[in-house]
Amino acid sequence: MKKIILTFILMLMISALSAITLEESIQIARENNKDILAQESGLMSAGWSEKNALTNFFPKVSFNSTIVRIDDDTYNEANAPIQIPGIGEFPSMFSVYKTSYTNNITVQQPVFNSGKMILGYQLSKLAKKQALLSLQDKRNDISYAVASAYLGILRLQDLMTLSEKSLNSTLSHLEKVLKKSDVGTAKKSDVLQWQVKQKNDETSISEIENSIDELYGFWQILIGTEERMEPSEIDITEYDSEILRYTIMEKPELEKAAVEFLSEVEKTSPFIQILELAKKMMKKNYCMAKGEFLPSLNLQFSYQFESDDEFDFDGEDNWNLVAALSVPIFKSGTNYSNLKKAKYDLKKTQYETESALENYMVAAKNVFHKLITKARTVEDNKTALEFARENHKIINELYTQGMVTNSELLDAETMLFASEMNLVASYYDYILLKYEIKKYTE
């Protein structure tokens, strides 16, 4: 007996350890989900791109070493004595080495490149910020997807409980009708009606089981772990006071709340900030296209410390400093066509972002109104369930007294079950909408 009790306690402990809350599953998904990990890698890449763009402002130093060997004919010709008529033969004034070694250090420093360096660095910073916002937006999307799957599993489990309850009630009524049929006080059609309802209830339970398995697999993929976990139950009645508050709000209060919500969306939504960044980046591209018409200036210092026939770093040394100014005069229209392209790309982006913003704000507003509607739906379904229970109680009593038909009792049973399912579903719809709203404000 003690062994059985210990085994039961151990099973309960294992079950408790494997069950996780909705917030815990969202946190696990943010750490393990592959889509989020891909966005995090993108953010790291953007960070290194920013550092790379910064290096364009710094000088570049390089060591250069060359070895040149000329052929015999060229060597002999270059070192041949010079014949001067009437005077005689003189040695070559510019003798060359057959094998020559040259070593130098070159320092290059960009000064002004039509604004490309500054704009390139600014673009890299915007790209990094965009990657960060995209990561935040992806986290919000995954959080909502996890919540949708999590709440979907709990909803189906609750519906499973109600379906099993309905099946048990059906089997109980079927047993009573069969007994009455045996003694001739119930019609064969009454038996058939309850048998049909039994099959329907069993089919519903089978469909719910399959849906739970499918949704569970999707949830496991989202949270990115192979460890077997179970969603913890949620006390949906905890939302009753909040739901009631939304239900009793008057129209002016709802309009004010909607305005405040949309204002918060405009300030905090990652998606809106991404749209703004897209416009800024296109403006920077347009400025870079304008820079194609500007001159560029670069400095280069070169110090040569060897140029002789031996590789010993001890030859002739010299240095030079070059200031290269380049002014574009004619590029076959390339810079002009790039400017026009950048201009219309900017206009295209502006129209696209304005359209996306309008649609996004409409969607945000609709989600807020759906939340209010779902809150009212919960209250309406509560009332409907009370009526269905009262109706079922009355019909059941009348059926016991033989004052109503079997079909009327069956209808009352169906109405009660449907009302219970509608209430459970409306609760989970409301909770899920709260997580959808977070997509717009986090």
Side-chain angles (χ1 to χ4, degrees):
M1 184 64 181
K2 289 182 178 179
K3 185 177 181 180
I4 294 174
I5 294 173
L6 288 173
T7 303
F8 179 71
I9 293 174
L10 181 62
M11 290 176 64
L12 287 177
M13 291 176 64
I14 294 174
S15 176
L17 287 173
S18 61
I20 59 173
T21 65
L22 176 53
E23 294 302 327
E24 287 172 343
S25 65
I26 288 175
Q27 184 59 39
I28 292 173
R30 290 189 170 191
E31 295 173 357
N32 300 316
N33 183 268
K34 291 181 175 60
D35 289 335
I36 292 179
L37 294 176
Q39 290 287 342
E40 289 177 347
S41 296
L43 176 59
M44 295 297 294
S45 174
W48 283 106
S49 293
E50 180 189 6
K51 292 180 175 66
N52 181 269
L54 184 61
T55 62
N56 292 327
F57 294 94
F58 304 140
K60 306 294 187 295
V61 181
S62 61
F63 168 75
N64 308 294
S65 181
T66 59
I67 302 175
V68 178
R69 183 175 179 83
I70 61 177
D71 61 272
D72 293 338
D73 292 339
T74 303
Y75 174 75
N76 293 331
E77 183 178 348
N79 290 284
I82 301 173
Q83 297 290 337
I84 301 177
I87 298 178
E89 186 177 279
F90 288 88
S92 174
M93 297 179 62
F94 303 100
S95 60
V96 297
Y97 302 118
K98 192 168 189 178
T99 302
S100 59
Y101 301 89
T102 304
N103 295 295
N104 63 45
I105 291 178
T106 301
V107 180
Q108 295 175 324
Q109 174 61 60
V111 179
F112 178 74
N113 281 294
S114 309
K116 290 181 180 179
M117 291 189 301
I118 296 174
L119 291 170
Y121 178 65
Q122 291 174 343
L123 276 170
S124 68
K125 288 188 69 174
L126 292 176
K128 180 182 178 182
K129 188 175 181 181
Q130 190 178 55
L132 178 61
L133 291 170
S134 296
L135 172 60
Q136 186 178 346
D137 193 49
K138 177 58 69 174
R139 284 174 175 169
N140 290 344
D141 287 340
I142 295 299
S143 296
Y144 173 73
V146 170
S148 179
Y150 187 102
L151 295 172
I153 294 171
L154 293 183
R155 178 198 301 205
L156 290 172
Q157 288 175 346
D158 285 351
L159 294 183
M160 172 73 79
T161 301
L162 292 175
S163 297
E164 290 173 346
K165 176 184 173 183
S166 176
L167 176 60
N168 291 334
S169 177
T170 299
L171 292 174
S172 176
H173 284 295
L174 177 59
E175 183 180 359
K176 293 176 183 177
V177 172
L178 285 171
K179 289 180 179 178
K180 289 183 179 182
S181 178
D182 291 339
V183 297
T185 57
K187 297 179 291 184
K188 179 64 176 177
S189 59
D190 294 343
V191 175
L192 290 174
Q193 286 177 338
W194 287 108
Q195 287 176 335
V196 169
K197 188 172 187 302
Q198 175 191 355
K199 291 300 180 183
N200 288 337
D201 288 345
E202 289 173 348
T203 300
S204 296
I205 290 173
S206 177
E207 290 176 346
I208 292 173
E209 287 176 344
N210 292 335
S211 297
I212 289 175
D213 289 339
E214 293 174 3
L215 204 52
Y216 187 88
F218 179 62
W219 178 63
Q220 285 285 105
I221 292 173
L222 283 172
I223 60 179
T225 176
E226 296 180 358
E227 182 182 353
R228 183 74 180 180
M229 295 181 178
E230 295 292 337
S232 298
E233 293 184 1
I234 293 177
D235 184 5
I236 55 180
T237 59
E238 290 181 356
Y239 295 89
D240 281 342
S241 58
E242 181 180 310
I243 290 172
L244 182 61
R245 186 174 71 253
Y246 281 128
T247 304
I248 63 177
M249 287 176 71
E250 298 294 335
K251 186 175 180 179
E253 292 180 281
L254 290 175
E255 291 178 350
K256 181 181 178 183
V259 169
E260 291 175 351
F261 169 69
L262 293 177
S263 177
E264 185 179 359
V265 170
E266 290 179 345
K267 294 177 183 177
T268 60
S269 170
F271 181 78
I272 292 179
Q273 295 179 61
I274 290 173
L275 293 180
E276 292 297 323
L277 281 176
K279 288 195 291 186
K280 288 182 180 179
M281 293 175 76
M282 290 309 299
K283 288 179 181 178
K284 297 293 183 184
N285 282 328
Y286 184 49
C287 290
M288 289 184 73
K290 290 181 179 180
E292 294 291 337
F293 295 88
L294 300 176
S296 60
L297 175 63
N298 295 282
L299 298 178
Q300 177 173 306
F301 172 78
S302 180
Y303 175 64
Q304 178 179 288
F305 49 85
E306 178 177 44
S307 180
D308 56 20
D309 61 341
E310 293 184 7
F311 193 80
D312 56 6
F313 298 100
D314 191 27
E316 297 179 358
D317 65 327
N318 61 75
W319 62 270
N320 61 73
L321 177 65
V322 178
L325 177 66
S326 175
V327 181
I329 297 176
F330 179 67
K331 291 187 175 182
S332 304
T334 302
N335 50 357
Y336 181 76
S337 59
N338 285 337
L339 178 63
K340 284 296 185 181
K341 180 181 181 298
K343 177 182 177 180
Y344 286 105
D345 283 343
L346 175 59
K347 284 188 176 183
K348 177 175 177 287
T349 302
Q350 287 174 334
Y351 289 133
E352 287 178 342
T353 53
E354 286 172 5
S355 176
L357 178 60
E358 290 171 357
N359 293 330
Y360 186 79
M361 294 305 293
V362 169
K365 185 177 181 180
N366 290 340
V367 168
F368 180 79
H369 286 302
K370 282 181 183 178
L371 184 70
I372 305 302
T373 301
K374 288 300 179 183
R376 290 174 176 171
T377 301
V378 171
E379 290 299 319
D380 291 342
N381 285 338
K382 284 182 183 179
T383 304
L385 179 57
E386 291 176 4
F387 291 157
R389 283 173 176 167
E390 185 64 23
N391 177 68
H392 181 267
K393 180 180 178 182
I394 293 171
I395 295 297
N396 199 48
E397 291 175 354
L398 293 175
Y399 180 77
T400 305
Q401 299 171 14
M403 298 177 66
V404 296
T405 64
N406 183 75
S407 296
E408 290 174 300
L409 177 60
L410 189 62
D411 290 341
E413 283 270 337
T414 303
M415 182 185 296
L416 177 60
F417 176 62
S419 297
E420 290 175 331
M421 290 185 70
N422 288 338
L423 179 58
V424 169
S426 61
Y427 264 115
Y428 284 111
D429 287 341
Y430 174 82
I431 298 171
L432 182 58
L433 274 169
K434 286 182 65 66
Y435 279 89
E436 187 174 358
I437 277 182
K438 288 184 178 181
K439 288 175 58 178
Y440 294 89
T441 56
E442 289 189 353

